[in-house]
Amino acid sequence: YKVIPDASAALNPSVQTVATDSFLERISPSQGGALWLGEHHNSQKDHSAQATLLRQLHAQRKEIGSKVAVGLEQVQVEFQPVLDEFIAGKLTSDQMRFLVQWDRRWVWPFENYQEIFDTAQELGIPLVALNVNSEDLVQVERGGLPALPRNTLLNYITDPQGFAQFSNSNQFRTYVDYVIRPSYDLHLELGLLKNTMSGEKLDQQMSFRNFYSSRLLWDETMAGRAFAWTKSNPNGLLVGLVGADHVKFSNGIPGRFERMAKSNNVPDAASISVMLNPTMMDSRPSNQLGIMRSAANSPDSYTLQLRYLKEGVEDEALYTLPASTGGVMPLADYLLFG
């Protein structure tokens, strides 16, 4: 399905069925850019879909003389040389799994991703490590962005001014209130904030500030790594395999990639988002999950967009007026089932 957002006074978004034979063309524009496949990490169905799409995209891009690469949230940037050796045929998948410390740094079952790695190695598709190194993320989870040495921070955030401006808008604040803050609340409720993402015990429970900072660093790094590959490979397509939470409502990775493309004079580089096998729960704040478990699940029941206010609208009495709408953020560009 294609998501059709609606920023008019009606605020009535919808979905439109896309024929299977035209879907590939829609998500793989000739000018290249990035295609974000938002996954559920524990879903074999999602990973099978990714492997199938990867094979189809490789064949399609080969016909027009355009490169394809796979961006991996699952692998941290320090292990890029390992991925290169794997694609060159110098390592088996078991050796690669060990050398990138998959079972310690990612933990989701490697077996679910096996078909993706086999496909990439068979077809010689480059793999790009997207994620922040655990050793650096831990520092942010403990002390926020100021805890990282400046040189290290600049390795991840190469455009500090653009990074700051991106976060300073009603659009982004609406996204934070709907996506990031509820995620923090759920982690808090489940007792998951006593440890870092890599399992290290914290002296005190992680604050929202540090949780928020680590999430922003994560998204900015993944977008930046993807854009660097795109810039070095004009008209190439980077297929990002990342969690659905980083894709939905555009202000995770996709919007950051768009910002980088525009500021680097590559405005035509696409940034297309696809949610794989989404449920209604993916479209709602994560602290509402218990309420929704028995609800009907169809695209018509999803929250298909988020409305945000124009800059400067502060009077609550004006919030609901159509003239106060600054715009909308679609759940994704496409929803793919199967």
Side-chain angles (χ1 to χ4, degrees):
Y1 298 90
K2 178 174 176 54
V3 177
I4 311 296
D6 180 13
S8 72
L11 293 173
N12 185 29
S14 59
V15 292
Q16 180 184 80
T17 303
V18 178
T20 302
D21 57 1
S22 67
F23 179 65
L24 208 63
E25 292 182 6
R26 291 183 179 226
I27 64 172
S28 179
S30 59
Q31 74 270 25
L35 169 64
W36 305 104
L37 301 180
E39 67 178 45
H40 303 87
H41 300 315
N42 61 345
S43 171
Q44 182 62 63
K45 182 188 289 188
D46 287 5
H47 300 311
S48 293
Q50 289 169 333
T52 298
L53 283 171
L54 182 57
R55 188 174 291 277
Q56 293 172 339
L57 289 165
H58 176 265
Q60 183 216 42
R61 306 299 293 191
K62 189 175 181 179
E63 288 184 1
I64 62 174
S66 171
K67 294 181 180 179
V68 176
V70 177
L72 297 168
E73 176 190 6
Q74 302 79 9
V75 180
Q76 296 170 9
V77 298
E78 66 179 288
F79 300 116
Q80 183 61 53
V82 177
L83 296 181
D84 294 340
E85 289 200 333
F86 171 72
I87 292 301
K90 298 178 181 178
L91 299 173
T92 66
S93 59
D94 285 342
Q95 290 170 323
M96 182 268 292
R97 173 183 181 174
F98 174 77
L99 291 172
V100 302
Q101 301 177 24
W102 182 284
D103 298 306
R104 183 168 72 84
R105 293 182 183 244
W106 185 243
V107 309
W108 298 99
F110 182 84
E111 291 74 17
N112 287 355
Y113 295 85
Q114 184 74 61
E115 186 181 1
I116 294 166
F117 286 111
D118 289 347
T119 300
Q121 190 178 54
E122 173 196 339
L123 300 176
I125 299 173
L127 299 176
V128 180
L130 298 182
N131 213 336
V132 180
N133 295 330
S134 291
E135 296 82 358
D136 298 326
L137 190 63
V138 163
Q139 294 187 59
V140 177
E141 290 172 319
R142 291 183 182 279
L145 292 176
L148 269 186
R150 181 168 175 77
N151 287 344
T152 302
L153 187 62
L154 290 175
N155 286 334
Y156 294 119
I157 301 176
T158 57
D159 175 21
Q161 184 175 357
F163 174 77
Q165 290 175 346
F166 188 83
S167 305
N168 187 28
S169 69
N170 277 344
Q171 177 179 352
F172 190 74
R173 285 186 283 271
T174 300
Y175 168 81
V176 170
D177 288 342
Y178 194 88
V179 177
I180 299 181
R181 190 173 292 278
S183 178
Y184 175 81
D185 292 341
L186 181 63
H187 279 72
L188 186 64
E189 180 182 336
L190 296 176
L192 300 176
L193 297 175
K194 299 174 183 178
N195 298 286
T196 66
M197 289 290 291
S198 57
E200 295 185 26
K201 186 173 178 59
L202 293 169
D203 296 332
Q204 56 186 7
Q205 202 157 241
M206 194 185 306
S207 67
F208 175 73
R209 167 184 174 267
N210 295 352
F211 181 90
Y212 169 81
S213 296
S214 62
R215 175 64 177 267
L216 265 57
L217 180 65
W218 205 330
D219 286 345
E220 183 78 4
T221 299
M222 291 195 283
R225 292 278 296 174
F227 178 72
W229 183 89
T230 303
K231 189 176 181 182
S232 298
N233 295 274
N235 302 319
L237 182 71
L238 183 129
V239 182
L241 310 187
V242 298
D245 249 24
H246 297 284
V247 169
K248 64 186 184 184
F249 299 116
S250 71
N251 277 247
I253 306 172
R256 294 176 182 278
F257 182 94
E258 287 181 7
R259 185 201 87 224
M260 294 171 186
K262 290 176 182 176
S263 64
N264 284 273
N265 298 314
V266 195
D268 292 333
S271 184
I272 298 172
S273 58
V274 179
M275 294 277 282
L276 300 176
N277 299 301
T279 66
M280 186 175 71
M281 291 189 291
D282 290 311
S283 75
R284 303 291 172 86
S286 49
N287 57 3
Q288 294 182 8
L289 297 188
I291 300 172
M292 297 181 290
R293 291 192 189 282
S294 60
N297 186 53
S298 70
D300 292 334
S301 68
Y302 297 177
T303 299
L304 293 174
Q305 67 182 27
L306 295 183
R307 170 184 179 258
Y308 58 91
L309 299 175
K310 286 181 179 177
E311 300 297 329
V313 176
E314 298 178 359
D315 187 343
E316 290 188 13
L318 302 177
Y319 284 5
T320 58
L321 296 179
S324 296
T325 299
V328 296
M329 296 170 270
L331 173 60
D333 293 314
Y334 295 94
L335 310 178
L336 177 63
F337 297 87

